[in-house]
Structures are given as C-alpha cells and as structure tokens.
Amino acid sequence: VIFRLGRLLTGGARGPGVFFIIPCVDVYEKIDMRSQTFEIPPQEILTKDSVTVFVNAIMYYKVANAIHAVANVDDYSGSARLLAATTLRNVLGTLTLGDILCQRESIAN
C-alpha cells in the first residue's frame, strides 16, 4: 500500500512484482497476505454459574483487504488479537461449566 504525501495513492495496493516509489515523497507499507496464527494467552473467565475457568486458544486470521488493514486500523494485528480474546471471554461467559465441557468441539468452530 503506497501513500504519497500522506494520502493513499490512487489505484490502491500494488500486487507482487516491480513497482516504483518516489523517495522522500512516497511511503509504502508491506502487508503479509498469508494466513497467520496467534496463541491467545490463558484467559480467566467467569462462567454463567459463577465458576472461574482458565481457557487458552489459537487464532488463525488472514488479511482480506490490505488497504483497509493499513488505512482504517492503527495496528490490525493487535486489533485482531484483542478482538479474539474479547470474543472468547464473551462467548464462554454466557455458558455454564457443564455446557462448556459438553460443547468443546462446537465452541471451537
């Protein structure tokens, strides 16, 4: 993704191959479009029946649009990690301990 004088260059992101930038005028940011993984550290979650459980997870994510990842979010990788941890706490906080243990496979998907 190329910025010229602080504004997004028309045409959006440049694909693989050769592209030219003007030194001191253009700034480019390279985005990895491959799938990436992140291990969510153990989260202390209070379930619906007031039981404290520690849960960890692994998150897979892939950047679908490089322009939106760079121009709309300050740190897209960190934002995805925090969103995954928050979603994990929200989903498991609405279930009881018995439901979590019985539905482990369906919760993982």
Side-chain angles (χ1 to χ4, degrees):
V1 179
I2 300 175
F3 293 94
R4 178 164 292 153
L5 297 175
R7 294 190 179 261
L8 190 62
L9 193 64
T10 57
R14 302 290 187 248
V18 177
F19 60 91
F20 299 99
I21 61 167
I22 302 170
C24 300
V25 175
D26 292 345
V27 176
Y28 72 94
E29 184 153 348
K30 189 165 58 170
I31 302 295
D32 191 1
M33 299 294 285
R34 298 178 292 182
S35 294
Q36 298 180 5
T37 61
F38 174 70
E39 182 178 352
I40 300 171
Q43 302 286 316
E44 184 177 355
I45 299 169
L46 186 65
T47 61
K48 191 174 182 179
D49 53 353
S50 300
V51 177
T52 303
V53 293
F54 286 91
V55 178
N56 63 345
I58 296 176
M59 175 187 73
Y60 298 93
Y61 70 96
K62 183 176 181 174
V63 175
N65 190 333
I67 296 171
H68 291 300
V70 172
N72 295 342
V73 182
D74 183 33
D75 179 19
Y76 69 91
S77 180
S79 298
R81 293 172 183 180
L82 290 174
L83 178 64
T86 303
T87 303
L88 178 68
R89 285 193 303 268
N90 287 342
V91 168
L92 295 181
T94 61
L95 300 173
T96 63
L97 180 62
D99 292 340
I100 291 172
L101 293 175
C102 292
Q103 301 173 6
R104 287 171 62 175
E105 292 298 323
S106 63
I107 292 172
N109 294 329

